[in-house]
Amino acid sequence: MRIGLAINYAGGFKDVAAEVAELERAGLDIVFVPEAYSFDAVSALGYLAASTERVQLASGILQLYTRTPTLTAMTAAGLDYVSDGRFTLGLGASGPQVIEGFHGVPYDAPIARTREVIDICRQVWRREYLQFEGKHYTIPLPADQGTGLAKSLKLVNHPVRERIPILVAALGPKNVELAAEVAEGWQPLFYLPEKAPDVWGKALATGRAKRDPALGELDVYANPMLAIGENVEPLREFAKPQLALYIGGMGAKGKNFYHALATNYGYGPEADRIQELYLSGDKDGAAKVVPDELVRDISLIGTPQFVKERLAAFRESGVTTLNVVPLASTRSERIKLIEILRELAA
């Protein structure tokens, strides 16, 4: 099982890069750079590529709507080049709150767009003369819509790899099915091992049945918070504000993927109450309603024995990479946590 973590996108790059270099020496396998409504992820990924040697780098995630498919492919090829083939392209639809509320772009057809973006990226990396006619993207434009020169182009540079791994962040069944069909990896959020087969099993099986064997086995990424020790259980409270934000605030009623996920996990009434409180402005009250059992089961926060047991549950459910969030206040403590986790996961 690979060990990874996501950098803090609210901070700067320089201190983070120095810490990632130390984490690399401690055994970290992959580092994810989020892109929400902060600094862009690409700048940080390029910075990390120059300051690390072995650790894999991933966008976690680039939103579908904020770059053209071809620019996404060009960016991925560039990052793979400067990292000597260590880049994974993490893609996702994000949600209306970010796409419409921050970027001012309509949030539409996430599943169809995901498929088309992936198809175009792989054409670009193979250096084919680009020809694509989809429902949402047509390249090149017909002469009567463009400049009159409907001529195909191909990437000038030779990519390090013509098949850069693609990771799709997805929660809904149709999007999960698509990830299992066409991507190298799938990343859900708030992954609960015991409930995963009930929530996603059918979608994963359907997607895998249509999967090209050349893609290999599907990598499954989970994102648990991490704290290991004899008296760390109170740190589970730190997970609740984030869960309240997503379940309660990432979308309106009826349009919140995370609320639907909590409901599918069996916490429907609690999810309704979290959303009601959060949307009314009572964020603290919403956090208090987050069930203790939900936090416990999606996290790696507890004694070494507890964490080892939970690692077994994640592994048994199909998780291949843990993208952890260390709950530690200093660099040395975070590095120590990764070292301990590496030992427990061995």
Side-chain angles (χ1 to χ4, degrees):
M1 185 178 287
R2 294 193 302 170
I3 306 298
L5 59 75
I7 70 168
N8 180 3
Y9 58 78
F13 301 157
K14 295 181 180 179
D15 290 341
V16 168
E19 181 170 333
V20 169
E22 291 190 53
L23 287 164
E24 180 180 47
R25 292 189 288 273
L28 190 72
D29 296 303
I30 185 168
V31 61
F32 294 79
V33 180
E35 186 176 75
Y37 35 100
S38 53
F39 288 148
D40 72 289
V42 178
S43 298
L45 285 160
Y47 199 101
L48 288 172
S51 58
T52 57
E53 297 178 356
R54 178 195 59 80
V55 71
Q56 299 289 306
L57 306 173
S59 54
I61 58 170
L62 299 186
Q63 300 96 343
L64 296 175
Y65 301 90
T66 55
R67 297 170 177 85
T68 66
T70 311
L71 178 58
T72 298
M74 293 164 62
T75 300
L79 289 170
D80 205 45
Y81 175 79
V82 298
S83 66
D84 296 320
R86 292 185 285 138
F87 180 63
T88 294
L89 175 60
L91 292 172
S94 187
Q97 188 80 359
V98 172
I99 300 306
E100 296 182 352
F102 188 70
H103 292 284
V105 177
Y107 184 89
D108 67 335
I111 298 170
R113 287 185 184 275
T114 299
R115 185 184 291 274
E116 292 188 17
V117 168
I118 290 173
D119 286 345
I120 292 168
C121 281
R122 288 176 174 156
Q123 282 192 40
V124 171
W125 299 333
R126 291 192 299 265
R127 298 190 70 243
E128 298 173 357
Y129 284 100
L130 198 54
Q131 294 276 1
F132 189 87
E133 185 173 350
K135 184 175 181 180
H136 303 283
Y137 305 101
T138 298
I139 307 170
L141 285 173
D144 60 351
Q145 294 182 30
T147 63
L149 300 173
K151 181 180 179 181
S152 295
L153 299 174
K154 66 178 181 180
L155 189 67
V156 172
N157 311 84
H158 289 260
V160 174
R161 296 178 289 177
E162 71 169 29
R163 176 59 70 82
I164 296 170
I166 293 175
L167 161 69
V168 173
L171 290 179
K174 289 297 183 182
N175 217 0
V176 171
E177 178 183 326
L178 178 66
E181 177 189 350
V182 304
E184 281 83 0
W186 165 56
Q187 178 176 292
L189 194 61
F190 308 134
Y191 185 91
L192 202 166
E194 290 82 359
K195 296 288 186 179
D198 295 335
V199 177
W200 294 301
K202 182 178 179 181
L204 289 169
T206 302
R208 282 174 167 139
K210 297 180 285 184
R211 185 177 181 83
D212 183 348
L215 288 172
E217 292 297 320
L218 181 70
D219 285 326
V220 179
Y221 297 72
N223 302 79
M225 288 190 174
L226 175 68
I228 305 171
E230 295 302 325
N231 298 291
V232 299
E233 287 80 5
L235 293 177
R236 291 173 184 166
E237 294 298 314
F238 284 96
K240 291 186 176 182
Q242 184 194 35
L243 282 160
L245 166 64
Y246 278 81
I247 296 171
M250 284 295 183
K253 290 185 177 181
K255 295 184 178 182
N256 184 318
F257 310 124
Y258 310 100
H259 177 280
L261 178 61
T263 300
N264 288 334
Y265 280 164
Y267 296 103
E270 294 89 342
D272 290 344
R273 183 59 176 156
I274 291 166
Q275 188 175 61
E276 178 185 354
L277 290 167
Y278 201 96
L279 294 180
S280 71
D282 187 1
K283 298 179 182 179
D284 292 338
K288 292 177 181 177
V289 179
V290 174
D292 293 338
E293 296 81 2
L294 175 60
V295 176
R296 179 196 65 204
D297 292 343
I298 66 172
S299 304
L300 294 173
I301 302 174
T303 65
Q305 182 59 36
F306 172 83
V307 171
K308 192 168 185 176
E309 291 171 359
R310 296 307 295 158
L311 285 172
F314 277 96
R315 183 182 287 111
E316 185 178 347
S317 72
V319 171
T320 56
T321 300
L322 291 169
N323 179 17
V324 299
V325 181
L327 297 178
S329 58
T330 67
R331 179 188 298 183
S332 62
E333 290 173 340
R334 287 188 287 272
I335 292 169
K336 185 64 176 177
L337 277 175
I338 295 300
E339 290 175 340
I340 295 171
L341 183 62
R342 168 59 67 203
E343 293 175 4
L344 293 173

